[in-house]
Amino acid sequence: MNLKTTTACALGALLCTLPGLSAAKSPVLFADNFDKRKAYDKNWEADTPGDAGVVRYSADGGVGGSGCVEISSDTRSSTTVRHRLTGLTPGALYRFSASVKCENVEQGRGAVLFLRPDGLEQPWNASEFAYGTSDWKRVYMDFVPGVDGTATVCCGLGFPWGTVNGGKALGRAWFDDVEVRKVADAGEGIYTRESRHIVLRFDRDKVTISDEAVDAWLAKLDRIYDAYRDLVGDVPYGGRKITILTTPGIEPGYWALAGNPILWNNHVAVREVIERTESHDDWGFGIMHEIGHVFSAGNIRHYGSWNWNDEIFANFRMSYALEACDGVMSQRNRLYRGAEVRDYYKIFYDETIGAGKAVNNGDALHYTFLRIKDRYGWDVYKKAFRALYEIDDEHLPVLKTAYDKMLYFLSFVSEAAGEDVTVTCYAPGELELIRESLCR
């Protein structure tokens, strides 16, 4: 270590100990203020789909009349500039930030920072979406690199793959003063806590309970993780820890998005959920649900399209875990412990199938699967999941409707049970109601 580095480290340690001063940020790993055209040409590649979008280097359009990159499109597109980073630490957290200015930016994810999905276990991550006409402001996204230590950072007008709002945008955006740094927790306002299976990376202001209370919650999530493994027979992402990360880059209405990291929308009631883990012994339905998603076959075997509705199966895995762990979830202002979760899903059954209504409701189907468990035990599902997870897509039959896919799933459960569960566990007429609801 040279003298300059030693002095910087000593100063950083001193700042951490002085009252009223926060820790220094980590060193910048990559930066470009776009003031030099040669550096821009060396650092960046443009992605311009067809004739829709235009990328232009501007020597004087940036912050304070400096250099910048300008991206425009008269029609909805995803037009970007990108830079590939190497030598990053797998599992570590990094912050990608830039200044952005907009003119008549509309639709999709607007002007946005994001990563190319190559090698990532979370392709949906992004910065805050910038719209309309606005002056320069700073935006950021936190990310975990690929397991090979690489990441390709992108400044874009629009997002390249489909999201609920379509992703793609139009208008004009300028980007300047790009930085990438490894996150120093205190310096970036990030709260970090880690357990056997989970790494929490939250906005610091979202955590008001003690470290000990957070650790107690994490220990419960570890048990949920172990129960999911017991149910399906394996773990996602090669057993690497799952990061849960608060982020500004999710469409309104989305509570969280599964992947690694799990993205938790920092505009929803994050603080309240965390506080309930201590005040009500509430293990957190939403987070258990997202962890349940990452136990899908695709994240374990990298294939597995048999699973026609993972919203059902994420919750169904949770039902097993809650029963196995005597865990607690809250819904509709009630706490459900362990096998009591059955009562929650019966609400939806009684409102639809149980009332003779052909209404497509995954929670009602969930209840019928729990009836099968009541008769045969969880082992029939453990056997079914293990068999299904071993089937690659090439050997799946052509299943045209959701009802066909449900029957395909139940055929594996029947094989494990030794008899046809659609006969033993469904009342006359129920399957016809389900078929009608799923084939509409």
Side-chain angles (χ1 to χ4, degrees), residues 285-302:
F285 174 92
I287 289 301
M288 291 187 290
H289 171 88
E290 298 304 331
I291 298 173
H293 270 307
V294 302
F295 274 80
S296 68
N299 294 325
I300 291 174
R301 299 280 186 254
H302 307 296

Side-chain angles (χ1 to χ4, degrees), residues 33-309:
N33 60 14
F34 298 108
D35 286 350
K36 297 179 180 179
R37 178 60 189 259
K38 288 185 177 179
Y40 166 77
D41 290 337
K42 177 183 177 183
N43 286 334
W44 299 93
E45 292 184 63
D47 286 325
T48 54
D51 298 325
V54 176
V55 174
R56 185 176 74 89
Y57 174 79
S58 172
D60 57 5
V63 177
S66 65
C68 71
V69 62
E70 176 186 330
I71 303 176
S72 61
S73 182
D74 294 332
T75 59
R76 292 187 69 174
S77 72
S78 175
T79 305
T80 65
V81 292
R82 54 187 166 87
H83 173 81
R84 183 170 175 79
L85 301 164
T86 60
L88 306 180
T89 303
L93 192 68
Y94 293 82
R95 176 159 292 186
F96 167 32
S97 62
S99 296
V100 61
K101 184 174 76 168
C102 297
E103 181 180 283
N104 300 323
V105 173
E106 300 177 12
Q107 302 190 48
R109 286 191 164 191
V112 63
L113 309 181
F114 62 94
L115 303 185
R116 284 176 66 89
D118 313 339
L120 297 180
E121 295 167 341
Q122 176 49 269
W124 302 105
N125 201 1
S127 69
E128 169 192 349
F129 315 148
Y131 299 101
T133 297
S134 61
D135 204 354
W136 291 104
K137 67 175 180 178
R138 200 77 185 158
V139 297
Y140 75 93
M141 65 169 290
D142 294 332
F143 69 91
V144 176
V147 294
D148 61 353
T150 67
T152 300
V153 295
C154 303
C155 301
L157 179 65
F159 193 74
W161 40 97
T163 66
V164 67
N165 62 22
K168 296 177 173 56
L170 57 87
R172 189 179 305 273
W174 294 261
F175 294 88
D176 198 2
D177 297 330
V178 170
E179 283 189 356
V180 178
R181 66 172 79 238
K182 193 173 183 179
V183 169
D185 296 348
E188 302 288 0
I190 298 292
Y191 175 89
T192 297
R193 212 71 185 166
E194 189 168 347
S195 65
R196 287 187 296 117
H197 301 304
I198 308 293
V199 181
L200 300 184
R201 297 291 230 162
F202 291 165
D203 297 332
R204 187 63 188 85
D205 63 354
K206 299 293 192 292
V207 183
T208 57
I209 64 177
S210 68
D211 290 346
E212 292 75 17
V214 172
D215 290 343
W217 178 41
L218 280 172
K220 294 167 183 173
L221 294 183
D222 281 342
R223 292 173 60 197
I224 294 294
Y225 180 105
D226 290 336
Y228 289 155
R229 173 175 53 195
D230 185 49
L231 178 64
V232 305
D234 209 337
V235 293
Y237 310 127
R240 290 183 294 280
K241 292 187 180 185
I242 297 170
T243 296
I244 305 173
L245 174 67
T246 50
T247 178
I250 297 180
E251 281 81 356
Y254 274 76
W255 193 87
L257 290 174
N260 195 13
I262 291 169
L263 302 178
W264 195 348
N265 188 342
N266 66 10
H267 298 297
V268 300
V270 177
R271 183 185 298 110
E272 291 81 354
V273 171
I274 295 171
E275 289 173 349
R276 283 182 62 85
T277 66
E278 180 179 39
S279 62
H280 290 73
D281 189 29
D282 185 344
W283 294 27
F285 174 92
I287 289 301
M288 291 187 290
H289 171 88
E290 298 304 331
I291 298 173
H293 270 307
V294 302
F295 274 80
S296 68
N299 294 325
I300 291 174
R301 299 280 186 254
H302 307 296
Y303 50 73
S305 60
W306 70 270
N307 192 343
W308 84 90
N309 187 332

